[in-house]
PDB file of all heavy atoms in Angstrom:
ATOM      1  N   PHE A 282    -119.376  -6.082 -17.972  1.00  0.00           N
ATOM      2  CA  PHE A 282    -118.511  -4.941 -17.699  1.00  0.00           C
ATOM      3  C   PHE A 282    -117.629  -5.163 -16.497  1.00  0.00           C
ATOM      4  O   PHE A 282    -116.483  -4.682 -16.447  1.00  0.00           O
ATOM      5  CB  PHE A 282    -119.300  -3.675 -17.574  1.00  0.00           C
ATOM      6  CG  PHE A 282    -119.612  -3.031 -18.909  1.00  0.00           C
ATOM      7  CD1 PHE A 282    -120.838  -3.261 -19.556  1.00  0.00           C
ATOM      8  CD2 PHE A 282    -118.694  -2.206 -19.531  1.00  0.00           C
ATOM      9  CE1 PHE A 282    -121.091  -2.691 -20.784  1.00  0.00           C
ATOM     10  CE2 PHE A 282    -118.944  -1.629 -20.775  1.00  0.00           C
ATOM     11  CZ  PHE A 282    -120.172  -1.872 -21.405  1.00  0.00           C
ATOM     12  N   GLY A 283    -118.108  -5.913 -15.500  1.00  0.00           N
ATOM     13  CA  GLY A 283    -117.255  -6.276 -14.374  1.00  0.00           C
ATOM     14  C   GLY A 283    -116.096  -7.140 -14.835  1.00  0.00           C
ATOM     15  O   GLY A 283    -114.959  -6.928 -14.430  1.00  0.00           O
ATOM     16  N   PHE A 284    -116.383  -8.130 -15.679  1.00  0.00           N
ATOM     17  CA  PHE A 284    -115.341  -8.994 -16.213  1.00  0.00           C
ATOM     18  C   PHE A 284    -114.328  -8.184 -17.032  1.00  0.00           C
ATOM     19  O   PHE A 284    -113.130  -8.362 -16.904  1.00  0.00           O
ATOM     20  CB  PHE A 284    -115.981 -10.082 -17.087  1.00  0.00           C
ATOM     21  CG  PHE A 284    -114.992 -11.034 -17.725  1.00  0.00           C
ATOM     22  CD1 PHE A 284    -114.540 -12.127 -17.009  1.00  0.00           C
ATOM     23  CD2 PHE A 284    -114.577 -10.863 -19.037  1.00  0.00           C
ATOM     24  CE1 PHE A 284    -113.618 -13.013 -17.580  1.00  0.00           C
ATOM     25  CE2 PHE A 284    -113.671 -11.734 -19.584  1.00  0.00           C
ATOM     26  CZ  PHE A 284    -113.209 -12.811 -18.884  1.00  0.00           C
ATOM     27  N   ALA A 285    -114.842  -7.276 -17.895  1.00  0.00           N
ATOM     28  CA  ALA A 285    -113.969  -6.483 -18.716  1.00  0.00           C
ATOM     29  C   ALA A 285    -113.053  -5.590 -17.884  1.00  0.00           C
ATOM     30  O   ALA A 285    -111.803  -5.583 -18.107  1.00  0.00           O
ATOM     31  CB  ALA A 285    -114.823  -5.604 -19.669  1.00  0.00           C
ATOM     32  N   ALA A 286    -113.586  -4.885 -16.922  1.00  0.00           N
ATOM     33  CA  ALA A 286    -112.769  -3.979 -16.077  1.00  0.00           C
ATOM     34  C   ALA A 286    -111.795  -4.768 -15.220  1.00  0.00           C
ATOM     35  O   ALA A 286    -110.616  -4.360 -15.130  1.00  0.00           O
ATOM     36  CB  ALA A 286    -113.712  -3.121 -15.228  1.00  0.00           C
ATOM     37  N   CYS A 287    -112.251  -5.822 -14.642  1.00  0.00           N
ATOM     38  CA  CYS A 287    -111.382  -6.597 -13.730  1.00  0.00           C
ATOM     39  C   CYS A 287    -110.270  -7.241 -14.470  1.00  0.00           C
ATOM     40  O   CYS A 287    -109.100  -7.210 -14.029  1.00  0.00           O
ATOM     41  CB  CYS A 287    -112.269  -7.637 -12.989  1.00  0.00           C
ATOM     42  SG  CYS A 287    -111.485  -8.284 -11.486  1.00  0.00           S
ATOM     43  N   THR A 288    -110.544  -7.898 -15.610  1.00  0.00           N
ATOM     44  CA  THR A 288    -109.486  -8.556 -16.316  1.00  0.00           C
ATOM     45  C   THR A 288    -108.487  -7.557 -16.910  1.00  0.00           C
ATOM     46  O   THR A 288    -107.279  -7.780 -16.863  1.00  0.00           O
ATOM     47  CB  THR A 288    -110.057  -9.438 -17.476  1.00  0.00           C
ATOM     48  OG1 THR A 288    -110.892  -8.641 -18.328  1.00  0.00           O
ATOM     49  CG2 THR A 288    -110.880 -10.601 -16.917  1.00  0.00           C
ATOM     50  N   PHE A 289    -108.987  -6.465 -17.444  1.00  0.00           N
ATOM     51  CA  PHE A 289    -108.078  -5.446 -18.018  1.00  0.00           C
ATOM     52  C   PHE A 289    -107.103  -4.945 -16.960  1.00  0.00           C
ATOM     53  O   PHE A 289    -105.887  -4.884 -17.209  1.00  0.00           O
ATOM     54  CB  PHE A 289    -108.879  -4.317 -18.614  1.00  0.00           C
ATOM     55  CG  PHE A 289    -108.018  -3.171 -19.065  1.00  0.00           C
ATOM     56  CD1 PHE A 289    -107.089  -3.333 -20.100  1.00  0.00           C
ATOM     57  CD2 PHE A 289    -108.128  -1.941 -18.478  1.00  0.00           C
ATOM     58  CE1 PHE A 289    -106.284  -2.293 -20.520  1.00  0.00           C
ATOM     59  CE2 PHE A 289    -107.337  -0.894 -18.910  1.00  0.00           C
ATOM     60  CZ  PHE A 289    -106.399  -1.064 -19.914  1.00  0.00           C
ATOM     61  N   LEU A 290    -107.605  -4.612 -15.788  1.00  0.00           N
ATOM     62  CA  LEU A 290    -106.729  -4.055 -14.754  1.00  0.00           C
ATOM     63  C   LEU A 290    -105.800  -5.123 -14.208  1.00  0.00           C
ATOM     64  O   LEU A 290    -104.638  -4.825 -13.857  1.00  0.00           O
ATOM     65  CB  LEU A 290    -107.577  -3.459 -13.631  1.00  0.00           C
ATOM     66  CG  LEU A 290    -108.249  -2.125 -13.959  1.00  0.00           C
ATOM     67  CD1 LEU A 290    -109.148  -1.687 -12.821  1.00  0.00           C
ATOM     68  CD2 LEU A 290    -107.229  -1.052 -14.287  1.00  0.00           C
ATOM     69  N   CYS A 291    -106.218  -6.376 -14.153  1.00  0.00           N
ATOM     70  CA  CYS A 291    -105.330  -7.448 -13.740  1.00  0.00           C
ATOM     71  C   CYS A 291    -104.212  -7.652 -14.760  1.00  0.00           C
ATOM     72  O   CYS A 291    -103.027  -7.795 -14.395  1.00  0.00           O
ATOM     73  CB  CYS A 291    -106.096  -8.755 -13.512  1.00  0.00           C
ATOM     74  SG  CYS A 291    -107.063  -8.781 -11.979  1.00  0.00           S
ATOM     75  N   PHE A 292    -104.575  -7.653 -16.031  1.00  0.00           N
ATOM     76  CA  PHE A 292    -103.556  -7.759 -17.075  1.00  0.00           C
ATOM     77  C   PHE A 292    -102.546  -6.601 -17.021  1.00  0.00           C
ATOM     78  O   PHE A 292    -101.358  -6.774 -17.315  1.00  0.00           O
ATOM     79  CB  PHE A 292    -104.195  -7.784 -18.467  1.00  0.00           C
ATOM     80  CG  PHE A 292    -104.597  -9.136 -18.955  1.00  0.00           C
ATOM     81  CD1 PHE A 292    -105.894  -9.406 -19.335  1.00  0.00           C
ATOM     82  CD2 PHE A 292    -103.649 -10.153 -19.053  1.00  0.00           C
ATOM     83  CE1 PHE A 292    -106.265 -10.650 -19.787  1.00  0.00           C
ATOM     84  CE2 PHE A 292    -104.002 -11.429 -19.483  1.00  0.00           C
ATOM     85  CZ  PHE A 292    -105.325 -11.695 -19.884  1.00  0.00           C
ATOM     86  N   LYS A 293    -103.010  -5.429 -16.630  1.00  0.00           N
ATOM     87  CA  LYS A 293    -102.141  -4.240 -16.552  1.00  0.00           C
ATOM     88  C   LYS A 293    -101.026  -4.401 -15.495  1.00  0.00           C
ATOM     89  O   LYS A 293    -100.074  -3.622 -15.492  1.00  0.00           O
ATOM     90  CB  LYS A 293    -102.952  -2.991 -16.286  1.00  0.00           C
ATOM     91  CG  LYS A 293    -103.830  -2.553 -17.439  1.00  0.00           C
ATOM     92  CD  LYS A 293    -103.045  -2.001 -18.610  1.00  0.00           C
ATOM     93  CE  LYS A 293    -102.563  -0.582 -18.310  1.00  0.00           C
ATOM     94  NZ  LYS A 293    -101.855  -0.003 -19.496  1.00  0.00           N
ATOM     95  N   SER A 294    -101.137  -5.401 -14.649  1.00  0.00           N
ATOM     96  CA  SER A 294    -100.030  -5.690 -13.713  1.00  0.00           C
ATOM     97  C   SER A 294     -98.826  -6.216 -14.439  1.00  0.00           C
ATOM     98  O   SER A 294     -97.737  -6.209 -13.878  1.00  0.00           O
ATOM     99  CB  SER A 294    -100.508  -6.742 -12.657  1.00  0.00           C
ATOM    100  OG  SER A 294    -101.512  -6.189 -11.849  1.00  0.00           O
ATOM    101  N   ASP A 295     -99.011  -6.673 -15.660  1.00  0.00           N
ATOM    102  CA  ASP A 295     -97.898  -7.057 -16.512  1.00  0.00           C
ATOM    103  C   ASP A 295     -97.439  -5.825 -17.281  1.00  0.00           C
ATOM    104  O   ASP A 295     -98.060  -5.438 -18.270  1.00  0.00           O
ATOM    105  CB  ASP A 295     -98.361  -8.183 -17.466  1.00  0.00           C
ATOM    106  CG  ASP A 295     -97.347  -8.455 -18.524  1.00  0.00           C
ATOM    107  OD1 ASP A 295     -96.139  -8.209 -18.316  1.00  0.00           O
ATOM    108  OD2 ASP A 295     -97.756  -8.948 -19.629  1.00  0.00           O
ATOM    109  N   SER A 296     -96.361  -5.209 -16.825  1.00  0.00           N
ATOM    110  CA  SER A 296     -95.931  -3.951 -17.403  1.00  0.00           C
ATOM    111  C   SER A 296     -95.238  -4.093 -18.765  1.00  0.00           C
ATOM    112  O   SER A 296     -94.914  -3.113 -19.428  1.00  0.00           O
ATOM    113  CB  SER A 296     -94.996  -3.226 -16.447  1.00  0.00           C
ATOM    114  OG  SER A 296     -93.868  -4.088 -16.130  1.00  0.00           O
ATOM    115  N   ALA A 297     -95.041  -5.363 -19.193  1.00  0.00           N
ATOM    116  CA  ALA A 297     -94.367  -5.583 -20.476  1.00  0.00           C
ATOM    117  C   ALA A 297     -95.267  -5.329 -21.666  1.00  0.00           C
ATOM    118  O   ALA A 297     -94.760  -5.165 -22.800  1.00  0.00           O
ATOM    119  CB  ALA A 297     -93.839  -7.030 -20.517  1.00  0.00           C
ATOM    120  N   HIS A 298     -96.558  -5.266 -21.444  1.00  0.00           N
ATOM    121  CA  HIS A 298     -97.503  -5.084 -22.540  1.00  0.00           C
ATOM    122  C   HIS A 298     -98.519  -3.992 -22.147  1.00  0.00           C
ATOM    123  O   HIS A 298     -98.972  -3.929 -21.021  1.00  0.00           O
ATOM    124  CB  HIS A 298     -98.232  -6.357 -22.871  1.00  0.00           C
ATOM    125  CG  HIS A 298     -97.326  -7.474 -23.268  1.00  0.00           C
ATOM    126  ND1 HIS A 298     -96.834  -7.604 -24.556  1.00  0.00           N
ATOM    127  CD2 HIS A 298     -96.799  -8.497 -22.563  1.00  0.00           C
ATOM    128  CE1 HIS A 298     -96.048  -8.676 -24.604  1.00  0.00           C
ATOM    129  NE2 HIS A 298     -96.011  -9.227 -23.419  1.00  0.00           N
ATOM    130  N   PRO A 299     -98.944  -3.136 -23.119  1.00  0.00           N
ATOM    131  CA  PRO A 299     -99.946  -2.102 -22.813  1.00  0.00           C
ATOM    132  C   PRO A 299    -101.364  -2.615 -22.743  1.00  0.00           C
ATOM    133  O   PRO A 299    -102.236  -1.968 -22.125  1.00  0.00           O
ATOM    134  CB  PRO A 299     -99.744  -1.108 -23.939  1.00  0.00           C
ATOM    135  CG  PRO A 299     -99.224  -1.908 -25.073  1.00  0.00           C
ATOM    136  CD  PRO A 299     -98.389  -2.993 -24.455  1.00  0.00           C
ATOM    137  N   TYR A 300    -101.659  -3.709 -23.457  1.00  0.00           N
ATOM    138  CA  TYR A 300    -103.006  -4.310 -23.507  1.00  0.00           C
ATOM    139  C   TYR A 300    -104.072  -3.369 -24.045  1.00  0.00           C
ATOM    140  O   TYR A 300    -105.239  -3.452 -23.699  1.00  0.00           O
ATOM    141  CB  TYR A 300    -103.395  -4.864 -22.128  1.00  0.00           C
ATOM    142  CG  TYR A 300    -102.550  -6.009 -21.694  1.00  0.00           C
ATOM    143  CD1 TYR A 300    -101.505  -5.820 -20.796  1.00  0.00           C
ATOM    144  CD2 TYR A 300    -102.766  -7.291 -22.210  1.00  0.00           C
ATOM    145  CE1 TYR A 300    -100.700  -6.868 -20.425  1.00  0.00           C
ATOM    146  CE2 TYR A 300    -101.971  -8.344 -21.816  1.00  0.00           C
ATOM    147  CZ  TYR A 300    -100.914  -8.128 -20.917  1.00  0.00           C
ATOM    148  OH  TYR A 300    -100.123  -9.203 -20.570  1.00  0.00           O
ATOM    149  N   LYS A 301    -103.667  -2.451 -24.938  1.00  0.00           N
ATOM    150  CA  LYS A 301    -104.643  -1.524 -25.540  1.00  0.00           C
ATOM    151  C   LYS A 301    -105.640  -2.270 -26.407  1.00  0.00           C
ATOM    152  O   LYS A 301    -106.828  -2.003 -26.355  1.00  0.00           O
ATOM    153  CB  LYS A 301    -103.948  -0.458 -26.343  1.00  0.00           C
ATOM    154  CG  LYS A 301    -103.233   0.587 -25.496  1.00  0.00           C
ATOM    155  CD  LYS A 301    -102.579   1.667 -26.368  1.00  0.00           C
ATOM    156  CE  LYS A 301    -101.882   2.722 -25.506  1.00  0.00           C
ATOM    157  NZ  LYS A 301    -101.225   3.767 -26.332  1.00  0.00           N
ATOM    158  N   ALA A 302    -105.134  -3.181 -27.214  1.00  0.00           N
ATOM    159  CA  ALA A 302    -106.036  -3.962 -28.096  1.00  0.00           C
ATOM    160  C   ALA A 302    -107.023  -4.774 -27.284  1.00  0.00           C
ATOM    161  O   ALA A 302    -108.226  -4.858 -27.604  1.00  0.00           O
ATOM    162  CB  ALA A 302    -105.228  -4.892 -29.001  1.00  0.00           C
ATOM    163  N   TYR A 303    -106.523  -5.373 -26.185  1.00  0.00           N
ATOM    164  CA  TYR A 303    -107.423  -6.131 -25.324  1.00  0.00           C
ATOM    165  C   TYR A 303    -108.511  -5.247 -24.744  1.00  0.00           C
ATOM    166  O   TYR A 303    -109.696  -5.657 -24.676  1.00  0.00           O
ATOM    167  CB  TYR A 303    -106.644  -6.808 -24.185  1.00  0.00           C
ATOM    168  CG  TYR A 303    -107.542  -7.583 -23.267  1.00  0.00           C
ATOM    169  CD1 TYR A 303    -108.009  -8.864 -23.612  1.00  0.00           C
ATOM    170  CD2 TYR A 303    -107.969  -7.067 -22.045  1.00  0.00           C
ATOM    171  CE1 TYR A 303    -108.833  -9.571 -22.789  1.00  0.00           C
ATOM    172  CE2 TYR A 303    -108.785  -7.777 -21.215  1.00  0.00           C
ATOM    173  CZ  TYR A 303    -109.247  -9.030 -21.576  1.00  0.00           C
ATOM    174  OH  TYR A 303    -110.097  -9.709 -20.753  1.00  0.00           O
ATOM    175  N   SER A 304    -108.124  -4.046 -24.317  1.00  0.00           N
ATOM    176  CA  SER A 304    -109.143  -3.161 -23.714  1.00  0.00           C
ATOM    177  C   SER A 304    -110.267  -2.818 -24.706  1.00  0.00           C
ATOM    178  O   SER A 304    -111.413  -2.803 -24.385  1.00  0.00           O
ATOM    179  CB  SER A 304    -108.488  -1.879 -23.173  1.00  0.00           C
ATOM    180  OG  SER A 304    -108.021  -1.059 -24.231  1.00  0.00           O
ATOM    181  N   TRP A 305    -109.866  -2.520 -25.954  1.00  0.00           N
ATOM    182  CA  TRP A 305    -110.873  -2.219 -26.976  1.00  0.00           C
ATOM    183  C   TRP A 305    -111.789  -3.408 -27.235  1.00  0.00           C
ATOM    184  O   TRP A 305    -113.006  -3.272 -27.305  1.00  0.00           O
ATOM    185  CB  TRP A 305    -110.171  -1.798 -28.321  1.00  0.00           C
ATOM    186  CG  TRP A 305    -109.719  -0.405 -28.307  1.00  0.00           C
ATOM    187  CD1 TRP A 305    -108.432   0.046 -28.074  1.00  0.00           C
ATOM    188  CD2 TRP A 305    -110.490   0.788 -28.474  1.00  0.00           C
ATOM    189  NE1 TRP A 305    -108.378   1.431 -28.138  1.00  0.00           N
ATOM    190  CE2 TRP A 305    -109.617   1.920 -28.363  1.00  0.00           C
ATOM    191  CE3 TRP A 305    -111.848   1.014 -28.705  1.00  0.00           C
ATOM    192  CZ2 TRP A 305    -110.044   3.225 -28.504  1.00  0.00           C
ATOM    193  CZ3 TRP A 305    -112.280   2.348 -28.842  1.00  0.00           C
ATOM    194  CH2 TRP A 305    -111.387   3.417 -28.722  1.00  0.00           C
ATOM    195  N   VAL A 306    -111.189  -4.572 -27.396  1.00  0.00           N
ATOM    196  CA  VAL A 306    -111.980  -5.769 -27.734  1.00  0.00           C
ATOM    197  C   VAL A 306    -112.905  -6.160 -26.586  1.00  0.00           C
ATOM    198  O   VAL A 306    -114.085  -6.447 -26.770  1.00  0.00           O
ATOM    199  CB  VAL A 306    -111.027  -6.946 -28.083  1.00  0.00           C
ATOM    200  CG1 VAL A 306    -111.806  -8.252 -28.194  1.00  0.00           C
ATOM    201  CG2 VAL A 306    -110.317  -6.660 -29.397  1.00  0.00           C
ATOM    202  N   ILE A 307    -112.366  -6.190 -25.356  1.00  0.00           N
ATOM    203  CA  ILE A 307    -113.171  -6.700 -24.226  1.00  0.00           C
ATOM    204  C   ILE A 307    -114.286  -5.728 -23.853  1.00  0.00           C
ATOM    205  O   ILE A 307    -115.390  -6.173 -23.467  1.00  0.00           O
ATOM    206  CB  ILE A 307    -112.271  -7.044 -23.030  1.00  0.00           C
ATOM    207  CG1 ILE A 307    -112.973  -8.038 -22.083  1.00  0.00           C
ATOM    208  CG2 ILE A 307    -111.841  -5.794 -22.226  1.00  0.00           C
ATOM    209  CD1 ILE A 307    -113.209  -9.391 -22.703  1.00  0.00           C
ATOM    210  N   PHE A 308    -114.059  -4.423 -23.955  1.00  0.00           N
ATOM    211  CA  PHE A 308    -115.115  -3.501 -23.655  1.00  0.00           C
ATOM    212  C   PHE A 308    -116.162  -3.418 -24.781  1.00  0.00           C
ATOM    213  O   PHE A 308    -117.361  -3.200 -24.517  1.00  0.00           O
ATOM    214  CB  PHE A 308    -114.568  -2.126 -23.289  1.00  0.00           C
ATOM    215  CG  PHE A 308    -114.065  -2.025 -21.869  1.00  0.00           C
ATOM    216  CD1 PHE A 308    -112.715  -2.105 -21.616  1.00  0.00           C
ATOM    217  CD2 PHE A 308    -114.927  -1.911 -20.802  1.00  0.00           C
ATOM    218  CE1 PHE A 308    -112.228  -2.054 -20.310  1.00  0.00           C
ATOM    219  CE2 PHE A 308    -114.488  -1.857 -19.505  1.00  0.00           C
ATOM    220  CZ  PHE A 308    -113.114  -1.941 -19.249  1.00  0.00           C
ATOM    221  N   LEU A 309    -115.725  -3.613 -26.012  1.00  0.00           N
ATOM    222  CA  LEU A 309    -116.698  -3.721 -27.129  1.00  0.00           C
ATOM    223  C   LEU A 309    -117.539  -4.979 -26.943  1.00  0.00           C
ATOM    224  O   LEU A 309    -118.778  -4.915 -27.106  1.00  0.00           O
ATOM    225  CB  LEU A 309    -115.966  -3.782 -28.458  1.00  0.00           C
ATOM    226  CG  LEU A 309    -116.837  -3.969 -29.694  1.00  0.00           C
ATOM    227  CD1 LEU A 309    -117.846  -2.865 -29.840  1.00  0.00           C
ATOM    228  CD2 LEU A 309    -115.984  -4.120 -30.957  1.00  0.00           C
ATOM    229  N   TRP A 310    -116.918  -6.082 -26.555  1.00  0.00           N
ATOM    230  CA  TRP A 310    -117.664  -7.316 -26.263  1.00  0.00           C
ATOM    231  C   TRP A 310    -118.711  -7.085 -25.171  1.00  0.00           C
ATOM    232  O   TRP A 310    -119.849  -7.470 -25.321  1.00  0.00           O
ATOM    233  CB  TRP A 310    -116.680  -8.414 -25.836  1.00  0.00           C
ATOM    234  CG  TRP A 310    -117.343  -9.575 -25.217  1.00  0.00           C
ATOM    235  CD1 TRP A 310    -117.965 -10.617 -25.862  1.00  0.00           C
ATOM    236  CD2 TRP A 310    -117.446  -9.830 -23.815  1.00  0.00           C
ATOM    237  NE1 TRP A 310    -118.444 -11.519 -24.949  1.00  0.00           N
ATOM    238  CE2 TRP A 310    -118.167 -11.068 -23.699  1.00  0.00           C
ATOM    239  CE3 TRP A 310    -117.044  -9.194 -22.662  1.00  0.00           C
ATOM    240  CZ2 TRP A 310    -118.447 -11.644 -22.461  1.00  0.00           C
ATOM    241  CZ3 TRP A 310    -117.314  -9.750 -21.430  1.00  0.00           C
ATOM    242  CH2 TRP A 310    -118.050 -10.955 -21.332  1.00  0.00           C
ATOM    243  N   ALA A 311    -118.297  -6.403 -24.084  1.00  0.00           N
ATOM    244  CA  ALA A 311    -119.203  -6.138 -22.957  1.00  0.00           C
ATOM    245  C   ALA A 311    -120.370  -5.285 -23.425  1.00  0.00           C
ATOM    246  O   ALA A 311    -121.533  -5.487 -23.046  1.00  0.00           O
ATOM    247  CB  ALA A 311    -118.448  -5.436 -21.844  1.00  0.00           C
ATOM    248  N   ALA A 312    -120.105  -4.283 -24.272  1.00  0.00           N
ATOM    249  CA  ALA A 312    -121.162  -3.401 -24.788  1.00  0.00           C
ATOM    250  C   ALA A 312    -122.134  -4.175 -25.653  1.00  0.00           C
ATOM    251  O   ALA A 312    -123.366  -4.007 -25.537  1.00  0.00           O
ATOM    252  CB  ALA A 312    -120.560  -2.239 -25.598  1.00  0.00           C
ATOM    253  N   LEU A 313    -121.640  -5.071 -26.501  1.00  0.00           N
ATOM    254  CA  LEU A 313    -122.523  -5.874 -27.375  1.00  0.00           C
ATOM    255  C   LEU A 313    -123.362  -6.841 -26.580  1.00  0.00           C
ATOM    256  O   LEU A 313    -124.565  -7.057 -26.852  1.00  0.00           O
ATOM    257  CB  LEU A 313    -121.685  -6.593 -28.425  1.00  0.00           C
ATOM    258  CG  LEU A 313    -121.122  -5.716 -29.533  1.00  0.00           C
ATOM    259  CD1 LEU A 313    -120.145  -6.493 -30.390  1.00  0.00           C
ATOM    260  CD2 LEU A 313    -122.237  -5.114 -30.395  1.00  0.00           C
TER     261      LEU A 313
END
């Protein structure tokens, strides 16, 4: 979950993409 939260917020520094799909996939991965 640290990896998921940290990478998602770092990616969000790129304002050209919303990264919604990434957030769903990476947090689902962390949960599994």
Side-chain angles (χ1 to χ4, degrees):
F282 275 96
F284 180 83
C287 198
T288 55
F289 173 64
L290 287 175
C291 285
F292 272 124
K293 290 289 283 183
S294 294
D295 171 25
S296 58
H298 300 278
Y300 294 99
K301 287 183 179 178
Y303 178 79
S304 70
W305 281 101
V306 170
I307 202 64
F308 280 101
L309 176 61
W310 166 81
L313 288 171

